[in-house]
Each structure stands twice: as C-alpha cells, then as structure tokens.
Amino acid sequence: MPLISITDPDDVRLAPYVSIREKDLTHGHGARFIVEGKVTLEALIRRSLFEVESLFLAESRLEPVRDILEDVSDRIPIYVVEQSLMDQVAGFPVHRGVLACGIKGEPLCVRSLLETANTVLVLVGLSNHDNVGACFRNATALGADCILLNGPSCDPLYRKSIRVSSGTALTLPFVHGGTGDELLTALSDEGFDVWCLTPRADAVAIDASKPPDRLALVLGA
C-alpha cells in the first residue's frame, strides 16, 4: 500500500483536512466530504457509492486498520502523520486517528431512484445531524431502498451524520434537494402510498396497517 509520511502541517496535500470542524459548519467541503473512524472507513473503502480521494491516518492507527488498507487502490494516497500533527491540522483532537476524504460526485436523480424502489424513507426539515445519521442507520437495517431529503434537511455527508449512521450514509442511495412538496409529488407520480409518521397518541399504529407494495414513510419537523 502507498503510505506517504508527512511532517509539515502546511503540506498542501492535507488541505481537505484543515480545520474540519469549521468546514463542517458551512458547506461540507463543497465537492468533498470527510469520514472519521474505522467503521466508516471500512464502509467507504469496501461498500461506498462514492469515490475516495485520500486517507489521513495517525501512525498509531496503521495496524488496527491494516486489513482495510489492503483493499485500498494503489492510486489513492494514504497520508501518515504523528497524532499531534493530525490534531493540529484538523483543529481538534482526532481520538480515532482515522480520517478519509471522499468525492460527492454528481447527485442521483429522484425519478431514476424511485423506478426500482419499493420502500422509501422521506426526511423533511431534519436539522440535526445525529437524527439524519440515525435515520440512515435504521432505514438500512429495516430494508429501505433509498432515502429522499428535502433541501433544508442536513447533508447526510457531514462528518457527524456519517459517523452516527455507522457508514450507511455512504452505502444507501439518497437524493438531497428540492422541497417536500416536490418529493411527495414525485412519489405520487411513481405510484407510492405515502404514510406520514407522528408520535401522537391518537395516530394509527404503524404495525396495525398492512404496508402497500410501494410505500414511502415521511419523517420531519
């Protein structure tokens, strides 16, 4: 595997990893995203829908992730540094010592995604990264085919959302954009029944209803 040792925190090759926390608060690196930790790295390398640009590892974490690194293409650079330098570059203590940079690429098309889907989760107005990540994790566990998020919802490729999703934000197809009305119209046009979920005590229990062949479950504020 092509390990590249770096000792200069200003090395331009580490630019995507500089001050990660501040960049997470703006646009999630634009065309890039950052993953953190062994679980999400394994998902990114072995099952992800996205291209990998580079890996950024603390020297002490090489051995624990060696089996994952064996699956990394030779064209992907693996930057290796001391833990203190990683913390300096990232702008906070990276306790897991494992970071990687992915490329968002072109967004998927809602209509194309729905053509082959039977169970869809729709997120409208979710403003908490943890909640978005948890929705991806549970949707994957329960067999959803994809997720649709309206524009104001959090980006599933924010570092924290990916981490909370246990990497499933990298593996479950999704579309992020548009309005809630536009998403519901697309679902209706494709023949989906739409069920809106609520914690109200007087609502019909979801397990008391027989699911249709094509079902969209809507969660939101």
Side-chain angles (χ1 to χ4, degrees):
M1 63 193 80
L3 301 181
I4 302 170
S5 180
I6 293 181
T7 58
D8 181 3
D10 295 321
D11 192 304
V12 295
R13 292 172 292 183
L14 300 181
Y17 301 99
V18 174
S19 302
I20 293 173
R21 187 167 285 167
E22 286 75 11
K23 290 178 180 178
D24 260 2
L25 297 175
T26 54
H27 301 291
H29 293 58
R32 296 182 173 93
F33 61 90
I34 299 294
V35 305
E36 176 184 4
K38 182 178 179 180
V39 171
T40 53
L41 177 66
E42 192 269 339
L44 179 67
I45 298 302
R46 293 176 173 165
R47 301 186 301 279
S48 176
L49 301 171
F50 302 94
E51 180 183 349
V52 184
E53 183 176 76
S54 66
L55 275 61
F56 184 33
L57 307 174
E59 292 177 345
S60 61
R61 298 303 299 168
L62 282 176
E63 193 57 38
V65 299
R66 188 165 295 277
D67 62 324
I68 299 174
L69 298 184
E70 291 176 355
D71 293 333
V72 177
S73 168
D74 288 344
R75 66 178 178 78
I76 299 172
I78 303 174
Y79 305 127
V80 180
V81 301
E82 293 185 355
Q83 181 69 57
S84 59
L85 190 144
M86 171 176 272
D87 296 345
Q88 181 181 349
V89 170
F92 67 98
V94 186
H95 300 299
R96 295 171 179 84
V98 175
L99 297 172
C101 181
I103 304 296
K104 287 187 174 182
E106 293 298 320
L108 299 176
C109 171
V110 172
R111 301 284 178 171
S112 297
L113 204 57
L114 295 182
E115 283 181 359
T116 58
N118 292 311
T119 305
V120 178
L121 181 62
V122 185
L123 307 181
V124 180
L126 265 68
S127 58
N128 182 285
H129 297 114
D130 297 78
N131 288 342
V132 169
C135 285
F136 269 80
R137 189 177 67 241
N138 285 284
T140 300
L142 296 174
D145 297 304
C146 61
I147 292 183
L148 306 181
L149 307 93
N150 73 328
S153 291
C154 290
D155 188 344
L157 295 181
Y158 275 109
R159 180 171 51 91
K160 192 174 184 182
S161 294
I162 295 173
R163 188 173 73 243
V164 173
S165 80
S166 297
T168 58
L170 305 173
T171 62
L172 184 63
F174 70 86
V175 172
H176 181 207
T179 67
D181 285 344
E182 290 169 343
L183 297 180
L184 295 180
T185 297
L187 288 161
S188 178
D189 290 346
E190 291 294 329
F192 281 83
D193 284 332
V194 178
W195 292 4
C196 294
L197 305 183
T198 174
R200 288 205 323 258
D202 60 345
V204 177
I206 191 170
D207 58 0
S209 302
K210 181 180 179 180
D213 292 335
R214 308 193 81 192
L215 173 64
L217 298 173
V218 182
L219 289 170

